[in-house]
Amino acid sequence: ADYTALDALAEEAEDLNGDLYSNFDEIYWGYIFDYVTNYIPDNHDYVITRQDEVDAMVNTLQGYIDMLELKGADYTAVNTAKTDADAEANKGIYTDESVAAYNAALADIKWDYTILDQATVDGYVAKIAAAKELLVEKDADYTELDALVGFVNGLYENFGVAEDGTEYTNFDDIYWTYMFDFIMNVDAEYGKKISEQAEVDALTAELQRYVDMLETAGGEPTVESFKFVDTADYKEVDGVKYAYGFKTLMTKSQFANYVECEGTYYELESSNSRYVGTGSVIRVYSEATDELLDEYVIVIYGDVDGNARVDFDDASLLDLALSGEADALDGAAKLAANVFGSRATINAQDADYLREAATGFAVIDQVTGKVAE
């Protein structure tokens, strides 16, 4: 009998690469190995009249080989690239046309390739990167800014009078002091994309602040004030404004209960992420122009080290300063340490009273700055 086809198929079966198949061990060792190494050699002497049995062995072996299942291609890198690209495309910042082009460029990706097509699958990563390049950002929205620029230009052309007849008595002052440079330079800010919308909004807010500074005939002038309320107040020493009258362990949010702002806002700088202690700085700004208007340094009496509480560390720091083992106290720290008597100097008695306050045997009045009688 003619064993040519069977021998060739048997050789092919012996050369199979097991790494390509997900069920190789099951099929090869369960069926193919014994058939090729035992059954075929044991039945390799048939005469021509038994050719049909040899052909049947070919079909049987081919059937076993056909039972092998190729592994799927590894799409890990492709999935990662596609997920990231889709997230970018769906941000809502790209034009509908470019998103459609992106989707069309990736529509022919096939997701069922086997390991034999891994090279094609690997090429999809570059294909996805190229598709991302098709995305085109939308333009930023200049609607509000355009309206404000048009309003200001209209006032300029009509000598401070709006289309509705409103007359702004301080237009010349505000325009030439604030608006002129803005209007002259704003054209250079056009052409931004939607990812830069925050910059456009900031421009809009800036011009709106200038517009809000305009005063109408008979209208109330713009008020800018910042004042301490409740027990808080300030005093000026050697040209520095020191704010006091706050409770110990005051949080940054609680500080807001001690001040009132009108046409102003403040920034609080503290070395502690939560509490406001001695040495913290309050900077007051104009809401209209962001100009720095005033600055105060906070004093929490008894809190020498600035941690917002009165404890033994404060007394120790004062002791070291008095003995010369640490730098002399000055500024807010010196004011915070001076808790006894009416003198301007600090001495060991202050340290003693700080220790008493730390243990609860004495109370420091945060308004007077002295130990309560």
Side-chain angles (χ1 to χ4, degrees):
D2 183 2
Y3 280 83
T4 305
L6 181 59
D7 290 342
L9 189 59
E11 184 178 352
E12 177 185 331
E14 290 178 329
D15 292 338
L16 286 170
N17 182 354
D19 292 337
L20 298 178
Y21 303 97
S22 59
N23 61 342
F24 180 79
D25 287 347
E26 175 190 354
I27 302 302
Y28 185 81
W29 298 109
Y31 300 94
I32 296 174
F33 178 77
D34 183 66
Y35 201 77
V36 170
T37 58
N38 296 312
Y39 187 81
I40 292 176
D42 290 346
N43 296 277
H44 210 278
D45 55 355
Y46 290 177
V47 297
I48 190 67
T49 56
R50 300 181 68 180
Q51 185 65 48
D52 57 339
E53 295 178 53
V54 175
D55 294 342
M57 283 191 280
V58 173
N59 293 334
T60 298
L61 181 55
Q62 186 63 59
Y64 293 153
I65 293 174
D66 291 343
M67 292 168 64
L68 292 167
E69 297 175 359
L70 282 168
K71 293 179 180 178
D74 183 1
Y75 280 84
T76 304
V78 177
N79 284 325
T80 299
K82 184 68 162 53
T83 298
D84 292 346
D86 284 346
E88 183 67 26
N90 294 325
K91 281 183 176 180
I93 65 173
Y94 298 104
T95 64
D96 293 342
E97 296 79 9
S98 69
V99 173
Y102 163 82
N103 288 325
L106 301 181
D108 62 348
I109 287 182
K110 295 182 179 180
W111 297 94
D112 56 357
Y113 276 135
T114 69
I115 195 170
L116 298 179
D117 301 300
Q118 187 63 53
T120 299
V121 173
D122 292 342
Y124 284 158
V125 174
K127 183 182 182 73
I128 293 169
K132 281 181 66 176
E133 294 299 318
L134 299 175
L135 295 171
V136 178
E137 270 196 66
K138 296 176 182 177
D139 292 331
D141 183 2
Y142 283 83
T143 305
E144 293 185 20
L145 182 59
D146 287 341
L148 279 176
V149 170
F151 175 72
V152 171
N153 285 337
L155 290 179
Y156 176 76
E157 293 172 0
N158 290 284
F159 306 101
V161 179
E163 288 185 359
D164 63 1
T166 301
E167 180 181 355
Y168 295 96
T169 55
N170 64 338
F171 176 74
D172 283 350
D173 180 33
I174 301 302
Y175 181 81
W176 295 108
T177 303
Y178 301 104
M179 296 176 174
F180 176 74
D181 284 343
F182 184 98
I183 296 298
M184 290 297 101
N185 294 298
V186 73
D187 284 349
E189 302 296 337
Y190 279 77
K192 294 183 184 296
K193 296 299 182 180
I194 197 169
S195 59
E196 302 169 295
Q197 185 65 49
E199 297 177 30
V200 178
D201 293 343
L203 290 169
T204 304
E206 180 182 351
L207 186 54
Q208 183 64 60
R209 286 198 301 271
Y210 300 153
V211 170
D212 291 343
M213 294 169 67
L214 294 172
E215 300 171 4
T216 58
E220 293 294 326
T222 301
V223 176
E224 292 183 335
S225 70
F226 174 88
K227 63 180 180 180
F228 294 101
V229 296
D230 198 3
T231 56
D233 205 343
Y234 79 95
K235 60 184 177 182
E236 190 167 334
V237 179
D238 296 330
V240 179
K241 294 179 180 179
Y242 294 98
Y244 61 91
F246 310 101
K247 74 185 197 74
T248 56
L249 288 177
M250 173 179 62
T251 64
K252 291 181 178 180
S253 60
Q254 290 171 337
F255 172 79
N257 298 324
Y258 290 95
V259 297
E260 286 184 358
C261 298
E262 185 175 357
T264 60
Y265 67 94
Y266 66 86
E267 292 180 353
L268 189 56
E269 180 185 311
S270 172
S271 59
N272 190 295
S273 60
R274 183 180 181 189
Y275 296 110
V276 182
T278 295
S280 299
V281 178
I282 313 159
R283 294 186 178 89
V284 183
Y285 298 89
S286 164
E287 282 188 345
T289 65
D290 290 328
E291 177 185 358
L292 177 63
L293 301 178
D294 224 331
E295 185 171 295
Y296 304 85
V297 179
I298 287 179
V299 175
I300 304 295
Y301 290 114
D303 171 32
V304 181
D305 61 5
N307 68 355
R309 57 171 60 85
V310 180
D311 53 27
F312 287 106
D313 288 341
D314 299 301
S316 297
L317 181 59
L318 178 53
D319 285 335
L320 292 172
L322 293 173
S323 67
E325 296 179 59
D327 292 338
L329 301 182
D330 57 11
K334 183 177 180 180
L335 290 176
N338 190 357
V339 296
F340 177 72
S342 58
R343 58 202 157 51
T345 58
I346 50 178
N347 58 32
Q349 283 183 301
D350 293 298
D352 290 340
Y353 276 104
L354 287 177
R355 274 183 280 273
E356 289 195 23
T359 57
F361 288 109
V363 177
I364 299 174
D365 188 323
Q366 291 297 325
V367 175
T368 64
K370 303 300 177 183
V371 175
E373 295 295 336

